[in-house]
Amino acid sequence: MGSAGLKLSPVFKTFAVLLFTALIVTPRPVTAQKLHTSSRWIVDEGGNRVKLACINWLSNLQPILAEGLHRQPVDALSASIKSMGFNCVRFTWPLYLATNESLSTRTVRQTFQELGLHDAIAGIESNNPSIVDLPTIEAYKAVLTSLRNNNVMVILDNHISTPGMCCIYDDGNSFFGDRYLDPVQWMEGLRFMATLATGFENVVGMSLRNELRGPRQNVDLWYKYMQQGAETVHAANPNVLVILSGLDYDTNLSFLQNRQVNVTFTKKVVFELHWYAVSSSNSLSEWVNGNLNEVCARVSSKVEQTSIFLRRQGFPLFLSEFGVDQTGTDENDARFFTCLLRTTAMLDLDFALWGLLGSYYLRDGIIDRDESYGILNHNWTGVRNSTFLQRISAIQPPFRGPGLKETGQHNIIFHPLTGMCVIRESPTSPLKLGSCKQSVNWIYTPRKNLMLKKKKMTRRYLQTDGPGKAVTIGLNLTTWERISASRMHLATNVGGKRACLDVEGQLELVARDCKCLSGDASCDPSSQWFILLSSTRLWRNLRSN
């Protein structure tokens, strides 16, 4: 897990007061269909892309109950997931839930009493009285039912073996053959949960094992057991996607470049990746100690080599964990997150955010411990950081893919710092940042002009008169180059002066002297970071064009 503060300059605090719920384009829900893969895409039975825009919901700690049921009714939590724009939950489970009958048949009340969680019992009695005396496995199924009733898809994730918090490097849960990860028992658990999932059509995938790691991890055993686990799941439930994690805390799938998995079924295999600030960097403070353009380019290149290459091999890649400290206190991760958002949007990745939870029943011996990565606040009563949710909302809907060719391919100009896109509210309005569903559509020409995409009109282009001037739409054939190591500065040259696209005031576009291109670690270039996203979606607000 990582943590990313979300501090912005005063200029960008304007968008923090926007009602993010009005900006969300809800991803397509597919709770009654079987999903499969088509090259790098996940698609439904009609061959149309389904983007997994998930959030992690934990049920693998010592209480073995979905977190938060002492704070809110389960249906209220399921509904809130949908209202925040997510269409999917990565729902964790410990192996012993499926293989240890004494754990699975013990009631929720009994487990909580043994752990001394008396206040939590009272909360569950108040908010979820129908769950508190259920056997643990039935309580797990009750959450699946609630998610199904709220039209939310589910990925079942075997997160750990012994109930608890993951993941210490060598904790006995790390790799096949460890004290708590017997391969035969693991496959029994996979078979049990895959069979259980046949009763829930909203369970669309199973992640075989979370964050393999430790001193005994090796590639040959990975192939042996992950292939056997995949076959076990598919034999028990051929409807679900089979999701395979890599090594080194699920940051390394590089061994697949030369040797693919060998299974008897097709169009069901998906690979997953975890990406936090600390998991992909050379040091804990790399993001604040280096020039952000250079660090972003270097880390993104590393992730490309270890996992993203799978897209080119024709496999979907599921970013099944990434997270940020939403209290706004961690500058290292704040800088990381802008870079991650750039890559996630540019590649249009399926993802699962860490996490839903605002606090834990019990974690590391601490009752009611806060979760600063949680999208909900400590008491589970509202969103912890609405600015962060606004940024995430931009990547929840798909930009392209099978069945989404609503119009010809074009570009939209995306601003990762805010999670917004370049819009124009009317033909006479200035260009500014706003909801990506209102985006102006562009064509980036071979001559590096940004041409307005219109069926009937004189060709018009993105233009400026130089540094300090507004950026407008006009007849000037202006060249915009992607510069710096990150290739996120959009720069033009006017009268011998180079200027970069930037934002000021009320989120209006302006040209400024290009900043922080290299070297200076203290300089933050992210206000000038823009990327050209490829899309085939027909964004509905025609006024923006």
Side-chain angles (χ1 to χ4, degrees), residues 151-227:
N151 207 25
V152 178
M153 294 180 287
V154 176
I155 304 293
L156 299 183
D157 168 59
N158 177 219
H159 208 69
I160 199 169
S161 296
T162 55
M165 191 66 189
C166 186
C167 294
I168 298 172
Y169 180 70
D170 189 13
D171 60 1
N173 292 273
S174 304
F175 196 71
F176 304 112
D178 282 3
R179 180 180 179 184
Y180 304 117
L181 186 47
D182 173 70
V184 174
Q185 185 184 47
W186 173 66
M187 281 182 268
E188 290 174 356
L190 291 178
R191 184 179 297 108
F192 178 90
M193 295 301 284
T195 302
L196 180 151
T198 61
F200 297 90
E201 68 272 16
N202 60 320
V203 176
V204 296
M206 284 189 61
S207 178
L208 300 189
R209 185 70 178 190
N210 179 66
E211 294 196 351
L212 293 167
R213 62 199 181 279
R216 285 165 291 283
Q217 64 179 332
N218 71 83
V219 169
D220 288 337
L221 286 181
W222 185 94
Y223 280 101
K224 177 180 179 179
Y225 291 122
M226 291 301 265
Q227 288 173 170

Side-chain angles (χ1 to χ4, degrees), residues 328-533:
T329 59
D330 192 323
E331 184 64 25
N332 191 63
D333 285 358
R335 299 180 113 198
F336 150 77
F337 183 66
T338 304
C339 178
L340 176 137
L341 194 59
R342 161 255 198 191
T343 302
T344 307
M346 186 169 61
L347 301 179
D348 203 5
L349 292 176
D350 301 271
F351 68 86
L353 172 71
W354 188 283
L356 179 68
L357 57 169
S359 55
Y360 297 88
Y361 304 119
L362 177 69
R363 176 181 170 181
D364 301 330
I366 301 173
I367 294 175
D368 198 33
R369 178 170 169 171
D370 189 59
E371 175 52 277
S372 62
Y373 292 21
I375 205 162
L376 297 180
N377 60 27
H378 182 90
N379 293 323
W380 297 67
T381 55
V383 173
R384 186 182 294 261
N385 188 323
S386 60
T387 297
F388 175 79
L389 187 55
Q390 152 61 35
R391 295 175 78 183
I392 286 293
S393 72
I395 61 171
Q396 288 174 326
F399 293 106
R400 58 193 182 276
L404 295 177
K405 192 170 178 57
E406 300 165 349
T407 184
Q409 184 166 311
H410 57 272
N411 297 110
I412 60 178
I413 304 176
F414 177 65
H415 190 244
L417 178 63
T418 58
M420 294 183 178
C421 293
V422 174
I423 70 168
R424 185 171 61 161
E425 294 175 334
S426 74
T428 58
S429 299
L431 292 172
K432 61 187 296 185
L433 296 180
S435 167
C436 289
K437 71 178 181 180
Q438 299 174 298
S439 180
V440 177
N441 296 340
W442 307 88
I443 301 294
Y444 191 54
T445 72
R447 294 185 176 182
K448 301 179 181 179
N449 314 121
L450 277 164
M451 181 176 69
L452 194 65
K453 185 178 186 294
K454 289 284 286 185
K455 290 183 178 179
K456 298 179 181 179
M457 67 173 293
T458 303
R459 290 184 176 182
R460 297 183 182 273
Y461 304 90
L462 190 72
Q463 64 179 35
T464 185
D465 291 330
K469 304 296 184 180
V471 176
T472 60
I473 294 174
L475 299 176
N476 294 338
L477 202 62
T478 304
T479 299
W480 294 92
E481 295 191 85
R482 291 177 283 189
I483 65 169
S484 77
S486 69
R487 291 180 57 78
M488 283 193 280
H489 287 78
L490 280 173
T492 189
N493 197 304
V494 180
K497 295 182 178 181
R498 186 166 65 176
C500 281
L501 200 61
D502 207 333
V503 187
E504 69 175 5
Q506 299 300 307
L507 303 177
E508 295 179 356
L509 294 196
V510 65
R512 296 286 187 201
D513 290 333
C514 299
K515 63 181 181 180
C516 319
L517 297 182
S518 62
D520 188 355
S522 65
C523 185
D524 185 353
S526 55
S527 72
Q528 292 187 350
W529 276 5
F530 293 84
I531 57 175
L532 303 178
L533 299 182

Side-chain angles (χ1 to χ4, degrees), residues 24-46:
I24 289 173
V25 181
T26 304
R28 182 186 312 208
V30 184
T31 60
Q33 298 191 57
K34 304 168 188 175
L35 303 186
H36 63 276
T37 67
S38 175
S39 185
R40 62 147 294 193
W41 310 106
I42 295 171
V43 298
D44 61 20
E45 292 173 293

Side-chain angles (χ1 to χ4, degrees), residues 234-251:
H234 186 72
N237 187 342
N239 293 332
V240 295
L241 299 169
V242 180
I243 304 173
L244 281 65
S245 63
L247 300 174
D248 299 320
Y249 289 91
D250 202 9
T251 65

